[in-house]
Amino acid sequence: MALLLIGGAALGAAFETLFGEVKIKIKKAAMFKGKLKKIERKLIALDPHIKEFERRSLVLDLSQTNTKNFLEEINHGHDRISKYYSVTKWWNFHKWPRYTTELLELDESLGDLLTILQAQLAPVHLATQELVREIHAATVTSQGQGLQESRFVKGCCEVPETPEFTVGLDKPLEELKMVLLGEDSSVLVLTAPPGYGKTTLVKKLCSDDNIKEKFTNIMFVKVSKTADLKLIVQSLYEHNGCAGPVLIDDDDATNKLEILLKEIGQKSPMLLVLDDVWSGSESLVMKFILPTPKYKILVTSRSKFEGFGSLYELKSLSNEDATALFHRHAILEDGNSNIPNEDVVKKVVEHCKNVPLALKLIGTFLRGKSQVIWEQKVEEWSGDSSPLNSEKALLACLKSSLDFLEEKDVKLKECFLDLAAFPEDKRIPATALIDIWTELHGLRELHAAANLFELNHLNMANLVVTRRDAYENDGYYSEHFVTQHDMLRELAIHQSKAEVLILNFQSENYALPDFLKTMNKLKVLIITNHGFFPAELTNFELLGSLTNLKRIRFERVVIPPLSKTSIKLENLQKLSLFMCTVGQAFDSIQRSKPFPKLEELNIDYCRDFVALPAEFCDAVKNVLRKLSITHCHKLSTLPEEIGEMDHLEVLRLRSCIDLESLPDSICSLSSLKFLDISDCFSIRNLPEEIGNLSRLEKLNMKGCSRLPELPPSVLDFERLKEVVCDEELEELWESSLPSDRSISLKVAKEDINLNWLENLQS
């Protein structure tokens, strides 16, 4: 038995070593990355089986030969992986084909090992079942066919003790109680970034008298990142005084779980807490959702699990509560505070960003130290340093989320790190991030936008949508903004190595820096004025030296007449102007043609934009694919020359309230797929031949309340699939279309979202 114990332990240790080595190589791999990823997937599949084999080997008399064979296979794999760096040196290129074969062999052998382990563990399950029957021979049966009572000690799923001291949780506690004590939702998700005190709040909630009176059976399960359904189910059985069943697989565990919960539900109301559920474990949570009366589930997670039921977002502490919590952990056990003056304390609390975990750890770190050390740390944190450098436990907690991003998608992690390039406490335009991610990480715009929503889902950033029709999914992100909690920004800065040029200033005049002349490889440039009024830019001609620039975003700046600047951006593909003064910017542009490859132009909230010059249309007619003019209230007409833009696929004219009509020439836009005239309520008619837009697939005309009728040519649309409109226009469409037309009429929702007002603020 002693030899077996050593063998089992050695197997687990060897496996962990191999697993860790593969992860390291994947992070740094420039070659063989695809094959290493395949090996990693095999190791992930093997992980629970290795752990169970190791655990079972401590109890049962398993064959030492099997353990030895498994150990040799794992060690052999480790030797192969360890050769990576030496093999991939350029002078060893002749070894690359052989090493490729070795990696393929390792992948195959791990697959064989997985099959063998599954076969080996099958008789182990049977043997364990016999042992369980012998240990629990003396059982009593509840209600004839009920669950078997166990001699095991209860407590494996008991609610952990609540900390003696908590602050800032009274209001969230009462709000959570209202949901749990109500009858509406059977699942409640409590979400917040790491370190906010989710678990502490749940412990406090479960010890509340009203909750304990309502739910006489409260079960607390720590799920964590590597969840094992079989172990959870066995723990729930044992917690409820029943013999933990032998479970062959997850399907078996799901069936046994349903039996258990239904049996308990007949006796007492239940509250099941699933603590620390990670993104990607939605299917696990689903297995616990059953139509059982008087049964509710409370999930805590770093991610926003939407669609399960109620979602409650826990916020960071107020300044007062944060200071109180910090004081609690900075005071010595004998009551001697040894804390410097309140100005120093205030600065420390500010650097902790009001995050409970940071306050506890930094308070403990500084407890009992002399005032000079306190002042030294405050000075460090005021410079380039961070509390994350001082407190490894805090960094480890936050970095675990970063590691998860990398495991999920390494480019998603890189996108998160790019947030560090933006100024603190400022909203980040989503379109700016999409531009950066598209060029910097080689993502398609659709994937870059998806990463925005994924970071929001994972609570690594907050996505704020200011457009009134926030529910619309039409690829328009000029009214989407990203904010980030300060502590997560600290993490991004701490870990980031990316270089992105973002020029931020707050003044009436700003000279573009001379170093722009040397940045001939720059692809994305974002220039943002954080002042209230648009700023004059000088040295504008320096942009002409950025020959590889593909995307520019200006915010709150004055754009000079481009025909007089003599700049020419040969490779510029996208130009975004937000709250800029454009004046005569595009006049006479035909002569200079500064943007010969411009594919997309966005003009948003530019209050002095009165007309789109005909010369501009002529200059870009062979290249422009997307034209977006939104919230430009003084725009009253469009030139007939717009109909010459043969490549235009998207024309967006949102909330241009003075626009009275569309030129007849737009009917010649043979490539147009999407037309958006929503909230252009001055438009009184559509072009008679609008049905000639043969490729139009979607038309958004919400808020066009002055249209008395639709032209007969709407019957000629060949590819139109969806029309977004109001109820009045829906009636017009229904009366105009024959019953056999398959156009989807989508009535715009009544939206009370007032976030759009923020766009009018600085």
Side-chain angles (χ1 to χ4, degrees), residues 156-160 199 202 206 218-224 227-229 231-233 235-237 239 257 271-277 284 288 298-300:
C156 51
C157 294
E158 293 287 345
V159 179
T199 301
V202 170
C206 291
I218 301 178
M219 298 167 283
F220 189 101
V221 176
K222 190 75 173 178
V223 179
S224 299
D228 189 325
L229 179 64
L231 292 179
I232 292 174
V233 172
S235 298
L236 289 173
Y237 266 83
H239 172 79
L257 174 65
L271 173 62
L272 174 63
V273 177
L274 299 176
D275 185 43
D276 195 22
V277 180
L284 176 75
F288 291 89
L298 174 58
V299 176
T300 74

Side-chain angles (χ1 to χ4, degrees), residues 347-399:
K347 292 178 181 178
V348 174
V349 172
E350 286 177 354
H351 287 302
C352 290
K353 314 301 182 185
N354 291 19
V355 175
L357 178 62
L359 293 163
K360 294 175 184 178
L361 294 174
I362 299 299
T364 303
F365 170 75
L366 292 173
R367 184 171 59 197
K369 291 188 170 58
S370 64
Q371 180 168 336
V372 68
I373 293 179
W374 282 66
E375 293 174 351
Q376 175 213 355
K377 289 301 177 184
V378 169
E379 184 176 329
E380 281 184 10
W381 298 336
S382 298
D384 296 331
S385 187
S386 162
L388 296 178
N389 292 328
S390 301
E391 188 46 66
K392 294 181 180 179
L394 176 60
L395 176 60
C397 175
L398 296 175
K399 193 172 178 296

